[in-house]
Amino acid sequence: MAKKKIQAECKIDQDDYPTLESILSKIDALSPDTPSFDLLIPDRMTFRGRPIWREFQAVILDRLLSKGLVPVERKERAKGKFFKFGRVTIDPSTLRTEPPPIDPVERVPALGPLAKNTTRLHPRRAFFPDLAASKLGGTFLWPRSEPWPRCDDPRHQTIRRQRRLLTDGICPLLVGVVQLNARDFPEIPFRRGADLLQLLWCPAPEAVHDDAYFPKLFAYWRNSKKVNDPLSAHPLPDYVDGMFNYFPVSCQFFPETVKEFPGPAALYELPEDNEIHKVRETDEDFWSLYQFELSTCPGTKLGGHPCWSQGDDAPVCDCGREMEFLLQLFDWEYTNTDDHQRWIPLADRWALKKWRKNPAAEAALRPPYFEFGHTAYYFFICPKCRERPVRFVHQR
Ligand SMILES: [Zn+2]
Ligand SMILES: [Zn+2]
């Protein structure tokens, strides 16, 4: 009897929650030139009849972005977060890195041959209709004839915690993370016949895929000229994580090429008599500057040297060769922002003190609205294997 009563109460409560579907259709009904919009994103909602928390917030932000609307104000309310949305324009010329305060090669000539160029991608929230464009999140060029993929890991349907199936027994629909087009980034070793690299992942970091709490990566290589009847939009995700967020809000790239040098972890392997070691031991000021402002750039970037937060951890391909660094994806673009700000474009620095309360500031520092706990994913590729395997490494 008591059990029945509880069930009935739950049902009543759940029926009172707004549905995600109704919020999204309200957004869809907005005219494309709506100048502003107010919305309470509730803490509790239902989606496809199941109760959900705030975890689908990124899906709502992404849908509003398709109308050109971004959050400009945010206030906590008893039942959720109240947002004011408006329109902002991005000035790409402000997304530029300051020159280094000193030339590291002048101080340590042995660094010269270790320099590499990286392409900072400077993602910024934007919705744009070009399906084949290079982008973070957003809609990928995907043939309608190819069903949108789900995770292939059968453990979604078998692993339980406290009697509950992790991910509710769903093999989640994959989430589009990054699409790279050869016309923008010819330096990527594309698979033969392909001009698009599409990286998707299963957005469930719970202990399904491995012992570690990571999403699972799926790389697709595609020839854009062969896609004649593309999907106009991806299906909505049917699972997102409650603690972290692996569903990106659509971002456009504003690439910039910057010179960088290996991070400290990669230098430890140099021979003991290398000049760099001597400088490290004797010139504390230079070494500190080197680590934080001269060596590797944090944030989302293509190629160059990985900005490891721990030791060097490049994976080895099944063919036995060390894989090549392809892409770095941070949730928050910048780390260690207290004393060292060279990698933060001047125009973004205002956001450092404002992001806790100002969603526009937060968007400058955390463009895709990812949340991995202030950490990074490092993607690697084997340019020697015909299949061009791609793998990621995660560091906290
Ligand atoms: Zn999965
Ligand atoms: Zn290989």
Side-chain angles (χ1 to χ4, degrees), residues 316-323 381-386 388-389 391:
V316 174
C317 179
D318 292 343
C319 72
R321 299 179 184 97
E322 190 169 292
M323 295 180 92
I381 187 167
C382 179
K384 296 286 190 305
C385 280
R386 231 168 51 151
R388 298 288 189 270
R391 236 182 270 167

Side-chain angles (χ1 to χ4, degrees), residues 138 140 142-144 146-150 173-176 200 231 233-235:
F140 292 2
W142 198 272
R144 205 179 286 273
E146 199 176 309
W148 189 255
R150 288 186 174 276
L173 287 164
L174 302 188
V175 165
L200 288 73
L231 277 183
H234 301 180

Side-chain angles (χ1 to χ4, degrees), residues 19 52 67 95 105 112 182 209 212 236 258 263 268 300 310 325 351 359 364:
T19 66
I52 56 170
K67 302 282 179 180
L95 296 171
V105 179
H209 304 126
L236 283 176
V258 178
Y268 293 135
T300 306
Q310 295 171 28
F325 177 53

Side-chain angles (χ1 to χ4, degrees), residues 12 42 108 143 199 252 260 270 273 277 279:
I12 290 163
V108 188
L199 299 172
Q252 188 175 350
E260 47 176 27
L270 291 172
D273 60 348
H277 291 311
V279 175

Side-chain angles (χ1 to χ4, degrees), residues 151 153 156 172 202 204 208-209 216:
C151 184
D153 194 327
H156 282 288
C202 168
V208 174
H209 304 126
K216 182 174 175 179

